[in-house]
Amino acid sequence: MFQDVTRAMAPVAVPVASKKALRFYRSGNVLWCVRAVAGLLIPALFLFTGFSARLRSWAERMGSKWYFAFALYWVAFAGLCYLIELPLDYYRGFVRLHSYDLSNQTFGKWFGDSLKSLGVLLAIGLAGGWIPFQLIKRSPRRWWLYLGLLYVPCSCMMLLIWPVMIDPLFNKFQPLQDKVLEAKILTLAARAGIEGGRVYEVNKSVDTKTVNAYVTGFMGSKRIVFWDTALRTLDEGELLAVLGHEMGHYALGHIVQSIALSSVLIFVALYASHRWLGRIPGRYQRRFGIRAWSDFAALPLLVLIVNFLALIFAPAELAFSRHQEHEADRFGLELLHNNHAAATALLKLQQHNLSNPRPGRIYTLWRASHPAIGERIDFCNRYRPWEAGGPARCDEYIRQRPVP
Ligand SMILES: [Zn+2]
């Protein structure tokens, strides 16, 4: 017992990244740059070669009504983009992960998932991709405002249905099978003010050897999901520590905060797009073969603008995400007071996911959704406000103090 207490108080050292982890980190950065350039280059090619206009004319000849012509254009455009990106996606999502021994996926599962993702993208485009062009046509001055107003309920709806309808297309989700663990989780959930039955496990071991857990959904579909790889890799104390972090996202309302931030950024992006479209000289429209901005042949231009603005906004979005992750870490520590388990869970994440515990500044700015694992372990080692007897930051969300 005395040994347990001593162990629980001991700081956890952050090991330096292995050579393999550093190789994974550096090659991942190169790959990220290649994908970012491709995300700008591919729509630009569709636009500048006039191919998008030719595709539109073909779709108009095939589909008699405007929507059917749009639908044909969208399926052809998204399908061609999929084929162009397929070699890079295959390397990134299959070959590379196997070469670093991070994947359990068969080629069949990878390809099946890849086709399903394309199917989901096609369905979303068919359901809503036509709306910007109709809004531009009907309200050339205010389309950006109406589209922004539509974005908010649409993103809530997507979040509501995604864990129930889309995620299960790729993996099997079920309530936690370990009933002893589930009982402990329900007790912890009650202390954090979260109703029971919201914790699931997913068979990610068919895809990956990496370890993770996350919070997803909105209102009725809000849930905490453990990858089965995490259930096998982490001991009970570490699982509860990870759960404490996820409960932090849940209890502190991080999903709603993220929707609010992305809504603000979408408004800015749409307004910027509106201003830019108004300033593009007419000769470019003629060169692209686009009749007006309400012509769906302008879709690659919208994709180009969205991908460009996503790069510009990434540092702000990621900084906010890192802030939320830090607050979720704080919540987990205040809920459980098990700093050692929280730190060793992060250590296992570092080792199993080949993470770099101290990445560079540019990586942090443009790619890091979480604080560096090294910083998170350092925080676990030092954050114990309850020892001084003072109030803790998340007190109002936590119903009972941990039993010492
Ligand atoms: Zn988190």
Side-chain angles (χ1 to χ4, degrees), residues 245-246 249 325 328 370 376:
H245 168 97
E246 302 304 336
H249 286 308
E325 295 299 337
H370 290 62
R376 295 177 71 187

Side-chain angles (χ1 to χ4, degrees), residues 249-387:
H249 286 308
Y250 196 113
L252 300 172
H254 284 173
I255 288 183
V256 171
Q257 287 177 11
S258 299
I259 293 177
L261 176 72
S262 66
S263 301
V264 170
L265 293 179
I266 285 285
F267 268 105
V268 175
L270 287 170
Y271 183 67
S273 307
H274 169 63
R275 296 299 299 259
W276 286 344
L277 288 181
R279 285 176 189 196
I280 296 177
R283 67 172 189 278
Y284 280 100
Q285 263 190 14
R286 286 191 292 282
R287 179 173 172 184
F288 300 157
I290 293 169
R291 296 168 195 141
W293 296 129
S294 59
D295 178 357
F296 55 74
L299 181 67
L301 181 61
L302 290 189
V303 174
L304 185 65
I305 292 175
V306 166
N307 287 351
F308 174 71
L309 288 176
L311 282 176
I312 302 289
F313 290 156
E317 275 190 299
L318 291 170
F320 186 68
S321 168
R322 289 194 300 276
H323 162 73
Q324 286 185 326
E325 295 299 337
H326 181 62
E327 291 309 305
D329 278 345
R330 184 196 307 281
F331 184 97
L333 294 174
E334 292 186 13
L335 183 69
L336 284 150
H337 293 190
N338 194 349
N339 299 47
H340 190 269
T344 55
L346 288 166
L347 195 64
K348 285 187 183 171
L349 249 63
Q350 178 190 328
Q351 284 156 351
H352 283 264
N353 299 357
L354 273 190
S355 308
N356 179 359
R358 311 263 185 215
R361 196 173 297 168
I362 292 177
Y363 174 95
T364 304
L365 267 176
W366 259 279
R367 296 194 61 197
S369 59
H370 290 62
I373 282 203
E375 282 174 27
R376 295 177 71 187
I377 294 177
D378 294 342
F379 183 66
C380 292
N381 285 334
R382 71 168 184 268
Y383 187 71
R384 299 170 192 274
W386 52 88
E387 282 180 357

